[in-house]
Amino acid sequence: MGKEITLAVIIVGDDSASRVYVDGKKRDCAEIGIKSEEHALSADTTEQELLALIDSLNARSDVDGILVQLPLPKHINAQNVIMRIDHQKDVDAFHPINVGKIMVGNFSFLPCTPAGVMELIKESGVSIEGKECVVVGRSNIVGKPQAMLLLHENGTVTICHSRTKNLADVCRRADILVVAVGKSRFITADMVKDGAVVIDVGMNREDGKLCGDVDFESVKEKAFAITPVPGGVGPMTRAILMRNTVTAAKLR
């Protein structure tokens, strides 16, 4: 491209999981030649101070992508922060303009985790078209955009959540099951169809070890393909972030 690509990452407070994620992103940037610029703010930073920093990064021509690490301290409204990022630098694809583009299928960026899930499904060799796809979880970050991406690939999509009746029955219909609920080993083997593709987006800590939302050991015996935790969706999420940052630089 003939120019240096720069990703600005903002982290507020001292959440240990957020620090791990940010450090991982810095390593990824270094590996592929993207300049990573970290802005580490104290937990008592005000919302106005954070918004002012975002304004300054929006205005800088040498900054291609902006990422604010979530979650934020409770006194800061995350939606206000997301709205403030220039949608052309929004490499997380959380801004309402980018979300709207995903809805109509005319997007520049895709949310990193759902896009990573799509790559994993494609790598499994399974076609999404015509398949029963079940997404467990309806967050704005994963569940909702994941459903839209599966729909764009002609999957028949069901979104499940905490008030879904007969959840196990719905999950058993799935040819492709994507789970993002934040509950350790929530999906068990009796909830999974033989030969299904199972994508575990969960990242939970249990007895000091990381585990997903799927009971991996029992479900792997039934699944055609299944992602581990750690080492499955996480690396793909970070890879898509790098791709989005390069895309942002090209668009600008």
Side-chain angles (χ1 to χ4, degrees):
M1 290 176 59
K3 74 180 286 291
E4 185 174 58
I5 300 173
T6 300
L7 171 65
V9 179
I10 302 172
I11 179 170
V12 185
D14 52 6
D15 181 83
S16 58
S18 292
R19 172 45 61 191
V20 169
Y21 294 145
V22 168
D23 288 347
K25 290 163 185 172
K26 286 166 68 175
R27 288 193 297 271
D28 292 339
C29 285
E31 186 175 335
I32 66 171
I34 291 176
K35 179 182 176 184
S36 176
E37 183 178 293
E38 181 181 314
H39 297 266
L41 308 179
S42 64
D44 60 358
T45 297
T46 67
E47 184 173 315
Q48 286 307 313
E49 288 171 333
L50 176 54
L51 294 177
L53 172 59
I54 292 170
D55 288 343
S56 70
L57 295 171
N58 283 339
R60 282 176 50 187
S61 61
D62 63 323
V63 171
D64 300 290
I66 301 170
L67 182 149
V68 178
Q69 183 66 46
L70 302 176
L72 291 165
K74 289 190 168 87
H75 66 278
I76 297 177
N77 185 311
Q79 198 56 43
N80 291 343
V81 172
I82 291 167
M83 288 282 291
R84 198 64 158 252
I85 299 171
D86 181 343
H87 71 274
Q88 293 182 308
K89 297 186 178 186
D90 168 37
V91 289
D92 263 333
F94 293 163
H95 192 286
I97 289 177
N98 290 326
V99 173
K101 288 184 173 184
I102 293 165
M103 284 289 292
V104 300
N106 181 28
F107 44 78
S108 302
F109 309 113
L110 289 173
C112 300
T113 296
V117 168
M118 297 301 286
E119 295 292 339
L120 288 166
I121 294 170
K122 289 172 184 175
E123 279 297 312
S124 77
V126 172
S127 170
I128 296 169
E129 183 169 345
K131 296 294 193 305
E132 284 271 358
C133 304
V134 172
V135 179
V136 186
R138 55 176 169 181
S139 71
N140 292 331
I141 293 173
V142 179
K144 291 176 186 176
Q146 188 69 71
M148 290 309 306
L149 295 186
L150 291 165
L151 191 60
H152 287 321
E153 294 291 331
N154 299 314
T156 300
V157 184
T158 302
I159 304 176
C160 297
H161 46 78
S162 59
R163 289 174 176 78
T164 297
K165 294 180 180 179
N166 304 316
L167 175 64
D169 291 339
V170 178
C171 290
R172 274 192 292 271
R173 296 204 312 258
D175 302 305
I176 298 170
L177 179 63
V178 182
V179 190
V181 291
K183 295 182 180 179
S184 299
R185 309 182 205 279
F186 180 71
I187 299 294
T188 51
D190 62 309
M191 301 170 71
V192 177
K193 178 181 182 178
D194 285 335
V197 173
V198 181
I199 307 291
D200 189 350
V201 182
M203 182 70 77
N204 313 292
R205 194 167 288 278
E206 194 176 83
D207 299 325
K209 295 182 179 179
L210 291 174
C211 68
D213 292 345
V214 176
D215 183 16
F216 182 86
E217 289 303 320
S218 66
V219 173
K220 73 177 183 180
E221 302 302 325
K222 298 184 75 174
F224 169 75
I226 183 172
T227 59
V229 176
V233 173
M236 283 303 309
T237 296
R238 294 189 352 231
I240 300 297
L241 172 64
M242 298 298 104
R243 186 172 77 181
N244 284 354
T245 303
V246 173
T247 299
K250 288 179 176 178
L251 289 172
R252 297 182 64 250

